[in-house]
């Protein structure tokens, strides 16, 4: 069988091993109650946070600040439902770039194309595929409060410079070609042996390798340095062991065959 390689942009992500159900629970976009059995009519779903009301801002759903905002949104939504009041959903327009057109990863060297930092180069420290944004180290910074509401506790306000996201969709940043240290457009090119996709500069044809920082997940820093936890991680040899062979037989027939019992012949039935 011919091996079909995948685009790196389709699977490289910090949270690629996170269970989907866990991510949805953190987003609060899960049903609170489902009213079914409506004699053929569609089920009525009461949500914790309506999926069309969830707003992406580049933060991970399990980060403390994002969790607090989702809980506040859940309370407002439920109060409106219980009070039978109108609640306008955010209905955010999707800004995600398709895998074929996405070429930026953590650790990449990019050049700022807009704003006060235009023309400067820096390293990507964060990527959000959902909003098509990247955060560049010490670039596009804004002064923010370290802790909001500190004055009421008798603590002096402190401020810090914090990076803000730059839109890849609008061309705010461009990848730097290591061949000439100039910004360039890139494309995915299949390797000569057809085993993987390579990222190459459209101008010079120079290959731009994916940085090792892009492979970091919440489980490991590098895949080859991951250590299996004895008693918790299922070994790959066990996972790939074939334990079931499909047959044209019922469960009762398989049990009889396993224990050497002659199966009883089933009577012929007809359906009209």
């Amino acid at each position: 069988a011919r091996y079909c390689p995948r685009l790196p942009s389709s699977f490289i992500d910090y949270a690629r091993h996170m269970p989907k159900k866990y991510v949805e629970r953190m987003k609060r976009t899960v049903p609170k109650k489902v009213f079914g059995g409506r004699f053929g009519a569609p089920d009525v779903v009461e949500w914790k946070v309506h999926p069309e009301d969830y707003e992406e801002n580049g933060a991970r759903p399990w980060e403390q600040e994002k969790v607090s905002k989702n809980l506040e949104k859940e309370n407002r939504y439920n109060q409106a439902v219980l009070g039978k009041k109108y609640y306008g959903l955010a209905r955010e327009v999707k800004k995600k770039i398709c895998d074929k057109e996405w070429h930026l990863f953590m650790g990449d060297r990019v050049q700022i194309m807009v704003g006060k930092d235009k023309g400067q180069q820096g390293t990507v420290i964060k990527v959000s595929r959902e909003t098509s944004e990247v955060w560049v180290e010490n670039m596009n910074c804004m002064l923010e409060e370290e802790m909001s509401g500190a004055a009421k506790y008798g603590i002096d306000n402190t401020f810090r410079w914090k990076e803000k996201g730059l839109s890849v969709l609008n061309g705010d940043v461009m990848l730097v070609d290591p061949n000439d240290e100039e910004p360039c457009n890139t494309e995915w090119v299949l390797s000569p042996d057809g085993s993987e996709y390579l990222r190459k500069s459209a101008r010079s044809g120079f290959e731009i390798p994916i940085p090792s920082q892009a492979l970091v997940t919440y489980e490991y820093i590098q895949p080859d340095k991951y250590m299996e936890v004895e008693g918790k991680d299922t070994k790959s040899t066990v996972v790939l062991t074939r334990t079931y062979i499909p047959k044209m037989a019922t469960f009762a027939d398989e049990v009889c065959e396993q224990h050497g019992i002659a199966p009883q012949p089933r009577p012929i039935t007809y359906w009209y």
Side-chain angles (χ1 to χ4, degrees), residues 85-176:
K85 297 179 181 179
Y86 172 76
Y87 182 87
L89 301 177
R91 301 187 188 278
E92 188 177 32
V93 179
K94 299 297 182 182
K95 303 176 183 178
K96 186 174 181 178
I97 299 176
C98 66
D99 295 336
K100 188 177 181 180
E101 302 297 329
W102 186 266
H103 302 92
L104 295 179
F105 302 93
M106 279 184 57
D108 276 333
R109 187 166 184 79
V110 296
Q111 181 165 318
I112 312 299
M113 309 304 293
V114 296
K116 61 180 181 180
D117 297 320
K118 183 177 180 179
Q120 297 190 42
Q121 297 182 359
T123 304
V124 176
I125 58 174
K126 184 180 176 182
V127 174
S128 173
R129 288 295 309 276
E130 288 74 18
T131 59
S132 298
E133 291 179 317
V134 296
W135 283 253
V136 183
E137 188 176 14
N138 298 328
M139 298 290 176
N140 193 37
C141 296
M142 291 185 65
L143 200 61
E144 289 188 351
E145 280 187 315
E146 186 76 27
M147 185 176 69
S148 60
K152 63 182 180 181
Y153 298 107
I155 304 174
D156 294 336
N157 283 342
T158 56
F159 298 85
R160 63 170 178 171
W161 291 100
K162 188 175 181 181
E163 295 90 352
K164 293 294 181 182
L166 291 160
S167 174
V168 180
L169 191 64
N170 298 333
D172 293 350
V173 293
M174 291 185 69
L175 189 64
V176 173

Side-chain angles (χ1 to χ4, degrees), residues 22-51:
Y22 169 76
V23 175
E24 290 177 350
R25 287 201 307 270
M26 291 293 99
K27 288 182 175 181
R28 314 300 292 172
T29 54
V30 291
K32 186 177 181 181
K33 191 172 183 180
V34 179
F35 300 91
R38 302 178 65 237
F39 303 100
D43 294 344
V44 175
V45 181
E46 182 181 340
W47 298 92
K48 292 186 175 181
V49 172
H50 198 284

